[in-house]
């Protein structure tokens, strides 16, 4: 095969294990062989619509097999897939489509109206295709299912190299405007191999595709590694805790990737203790710090939670705890995955000693080529081959990585560094606290002090002084937030990360200028 990229994976699976299940979605199973033929048809259909090498094709929607069909078809053509966060408003979607220079959009049934709104505003997008029958709006979009039915499943063999771009994936936008990370075919391959090794993915895997495919954890956390390995991706449109728990049980799900907020919502289901999770082997958890009480909830059920650390820019393989150390090294994000190097460095680039906090930097064949059309941001992020994460971390004497927090979120109080994640984890141990985010606010004496924004647990009425007194028994005094505010909810990204810039502009108005 001249295609050395991700687009060739379905062809290779067709050769090796055509009859094994590849995708389960809403009651229907597609085998690897059937998937390969659908991808061939999809590539033929896109090609007939004028898509060729280097062209950008967006997927805008919830999790759906058409998302993977468009990705792999682009991979066969050498075109570039652009997954768009399905939760964005039309003007935000417009920004991503314009910034990436997308010419064709395939959208889910929930996005017909967005397609209708943007069609007139974005002439550069020549074609709009509805991935499934639209429920509302989108009547002028072409019909993906029909296009595939009409196309020929001929094999193609465009030359695609590991260095060719495979997709532009936008970062979560936790700290600001999302940046478009260009991930090459090589990045995808090496990251998925890392993930498959790290989670011991097998051909019998039935992984739950729960996290959004438009984020790197949802796409490459377990779904693509499982397809690579010949297992089955059990796709769900989105995260609905009772329905998700039911699918995990009914489909005998063996693994999944999740962000901590998802695990929290699942474990708070009243039926959590009673459901049969005997098939579930392991969970890859990443994207944000995993509070220890939450980790214990799953470990107590006999399910391994492999804390991992990574980012869009590393596709996302960085570090991972293996299933043995998940218990012994609780709280750590593990060791570098097989084909990636991770170091903790001082500002001058020298390596930190064990337990010394520094910036986490990564290097390996999975690190992005750069940010799309942002050479300055790329040059600032990748220095001498090392991607600078902006995350503060340290290692222990055995080489296990501990992530503190983002430097952008660190609070410097009276000259001491306070990592909000540690304070949040301590607050979450208190039964009256359902959710919490700690941010720094200016203080005339200390420079900065912590402000905890707490969502109280249902039925509780926490008292700020009592919460602070509790914390003083668990944390050094300088880490205890000086202020506590209560809120009904916290502003979050699509993967459930708290958007601290939004909190800061709400609680620290003078920062806005
Ligand atoms: P943006 O870059 O747009 O602000 P983002 O950094 O949240 O958004 P992602 O690439 O989805 O976008 O997330 C990667 C970041 O998530 C990491 O840099 C780190 O800050 C955080 N993260 C990932 N895994 C962990 C973990 N195990 N523990 C703590 N933080 C983590
Ligand atoms: Mg980031």
């Amino acid at each position: 095969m001249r295609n050395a990229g991700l687009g060739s994976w379905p062809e290779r699976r067709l050769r090796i294990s055509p009859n094994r299940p590849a995708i389960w979605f809403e009651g229907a199973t597609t085998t690897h062989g059937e998937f390969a033929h659908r991808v061939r048809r999809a590539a033929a259909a896109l090609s007939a619509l004028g898509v060729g090498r280097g062209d950008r094709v967006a997927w805008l929607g919830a999790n759906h097999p058409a998302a993977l069909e468009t990705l792999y078809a682009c991979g066969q053509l050498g075109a570039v897939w652009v997954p768009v966060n399905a939760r964005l408003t039309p003007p935000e979607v417009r920004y991503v489509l314009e910034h990436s220079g997308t010419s064709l959009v395939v959208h889910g049934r929930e996005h017909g109206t967005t397609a209708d709104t943007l069609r007139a505003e974005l002439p550069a997008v020549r074609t709009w295709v509805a991935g499934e029958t639209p429920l509302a709006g989108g009547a002028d979009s072409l019909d993906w299912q029909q296009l595939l039915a009409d196309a020929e499943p001929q094999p193609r063999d465009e030359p695609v190299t590991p260095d060719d771009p495979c997709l532009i994936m936008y970062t979560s936008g936790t700290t600001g405007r999302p940046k478009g990370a260009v991930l090459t075919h090589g990045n995808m391959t090496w990251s998925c191999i890392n993930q498959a090794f790290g989670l011991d993915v097998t051909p019998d895997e039935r992984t739950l595709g729960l996290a959004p495919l438009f984020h790197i954890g949802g796409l490459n956390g377990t779904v693509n590694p499982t397809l690579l390995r010949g297992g089955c991706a059990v796709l769900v449109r989105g995260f609905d805790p009772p329905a998700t728990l039911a699918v995990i049980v009914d489909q005998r799900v063996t693994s999944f990737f999740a962000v901590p907020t998802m695990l929290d919502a699942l474990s708070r289901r009243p039926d959590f203790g009673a459901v049969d999770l005997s098939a579930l082997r392991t969970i890859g958890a990443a994207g944000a710090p995993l509070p220890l009480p939450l980790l214990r909830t799953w470990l107590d059920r006999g399910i391994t939670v492999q804390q991992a650390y990574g980012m869009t820019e590393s596709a996302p393989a960085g570090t991972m705890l293996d299933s043995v150390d998940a218990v012994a090294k609780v709280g750590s994000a593990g060791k570098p995955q097989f084909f990636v190097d991770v170091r903790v460095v001082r500002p001058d680039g020298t390596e930190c000693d064990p337990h010394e906090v520094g910036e986490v930097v990564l290097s390996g064949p999975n690190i992005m080529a750069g940010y799309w059309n942002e050479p300055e941001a790329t040059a600032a992020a990748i220095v001498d081959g090392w991607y600078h994460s902006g995350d503060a971390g340290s290692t222990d004497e055995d080489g296990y990585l501990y992530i503190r927090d983002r430097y952008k979120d660190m609070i410097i109080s009276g000259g001491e560094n306070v990592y909000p994640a540690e304070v949040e984890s301590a607050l979450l141990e208190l039964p009256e606290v359902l959710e919490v985010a700690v941010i720094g606010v200016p203080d005339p004496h200390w420079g900065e002090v912590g402000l905890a924004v707490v969502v109280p647990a249902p039925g509780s009425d926490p008292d700020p002084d009592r919460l602070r007194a509790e914390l003083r028994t668990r944390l050094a005094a300088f880490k205890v937030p000086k202020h506590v505010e209560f809120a009904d909810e916290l502003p979050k990204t699509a993967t459930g990360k708290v958007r601290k810039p939004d909190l800061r502009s709400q609680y620290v108005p003078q920062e806005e200028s």
Side-chain angles (χ1 to χ4, degrees), residues 126-468:
R126 292 195 308 272
T127 316
W128 294 81
V129 183
E132 56 182 330
T133 312
L135 288 186
D140 292 334
S141 298
L142 300 175
D143 180 342
W144 179 251
Q145 303 301 334
Q146 195 57 49
L147 289 172
L148 262 64
D150 294 344
E152 290 293 328
Q154 294 303 328
R156 328 181 60 92
D157 198 18
E158 268 83 350
V160 175
T161 77
D163 290 335
D164 287 332
C166 178
L167 70 157
I168 303 173
M169 178 161 278
Y170 284 77
T171 59
S172 293
T174 312
T175 56
R177 189 165 230 180
K179 303 171 287 283
V182 178
L183 299 175
T184 65
H185 287 272
N187 294 157
M188 295 296 279
T189 303
W190 290 111
S191 175
C192 289
I193 289 175
N194 276 328
Q195 292 287 126
F197 274 30
L199 293 164
D200 287 329
V201 174
T202 76
D204 291 323
E205 208 65 54
R206 291 186 66 77
T207 201
L208 182 69
L210 164 66
L213 294 170
F214 55 78
H215 279 316
I216 199 68
L219 187 68
N220 283 357
T222 62
V223 168
N224 272 333
T226 295
L227 292 177
L228 175 66
R229 200 69 186 82
C232 180
V234 174
L235 286 188
V236 290
R237 280 182 195 270
F239 184 45
D240 170 55
T244 301
L245 211 47
V247 170
I248 292 174
V249 174
D250 294 345
Q251 288 304 307
R252 308 275 307 152
V253 162
T254 56
S255 68
F256 63 94
F257 167 86
V259 295
T261 40
M262 290 174 171
L263 295 181
D264 185 52
L266 287 175
S267 61
R268 281 179 196 278
R269 293 291 313 152
D271 50 343
F272 179 74
V275 294
D276 173 14
L277 298 177
S278 56
L280 189 55
R281 181 176 63 80
T282 197
I283 299 171
L290 184 67
L292 287 184
L294 177 58
L295 180 59
R296 285 194 207 110
T297 309
W298 290 84
L299 294 178
D300 288 349
R301 290 295 302 271
I303 298 155
T304 308
V305 181
Q306 293 183 243
Q307 165 102 246
Y309 163 76
M311 60 277 308
T312 312
E313 291 87 342
S314 61
T319 62
M320 191 183 277
L321 265 184
D322 71 23
S323 53
V324 177
D325 295 328
V327 180
K329 291 283 185 182
V330 152
S332 163
K335 289 199 168 182
Q337 288 184 256
F338 199 87
F339 291 109
V340 59
D341 294 308
V342 180
R343 299 168 64 194
V344 177
V345 297
R346 304 187 180 107
D348 68 3
T350 56
E351 202 157 348
C352 290
D353 295 327
H355 302 290
E356 180 186 347
V357 177
E359 185 180 17
V360 184
V361 299
L362 300 90
S363 170
N366 55 320
I367 302 296
M368 66 166 182
Y371 294 116
W372 179 255
N373 277 350
E374 313 223 20
E376 284 171 19
T378 304
I382 303 177
V383 182
D384 295 333
W386 289 89
Y387 168 70
H388 285 248
S389 68
D391 294 319
S394 59
T395 53
D396 65 12
E397 43 288 298
D398 301 323
Y400 288 80
L401 182 70
Y402 291 78
I403 299 297
R404 302 295 166 120
D405 213 330
R406 297 172 195 259
Y407 274 110
K408 277 189 182 166
D409 291 336
M410 188 177 82
I411 301 167
I412 305 181
S413 197
E416 297 277 9
N417 293 350
V418 180
Y419 299 99
E422 183 188 3
V423 185
E424 290 158 2
S425 196
L427 273 160
L428 285 169
E429 300 253 3
L430 310 179
E432 291 172 298
V433 177
L434 178 66
E435 287 187 306
V436 61
V438 174
I439 55 172
V441 296
D443 182 86
H445 181 62
W446 300 105
E448 243 186 338
V449 292
L451 160 70
V453 184
V454 172
V455 179
S460 74
D461 183 16
D463 171 70
D465 291 333
R466 208 175 51 239
L467 290 182
R468 296 178 67 251

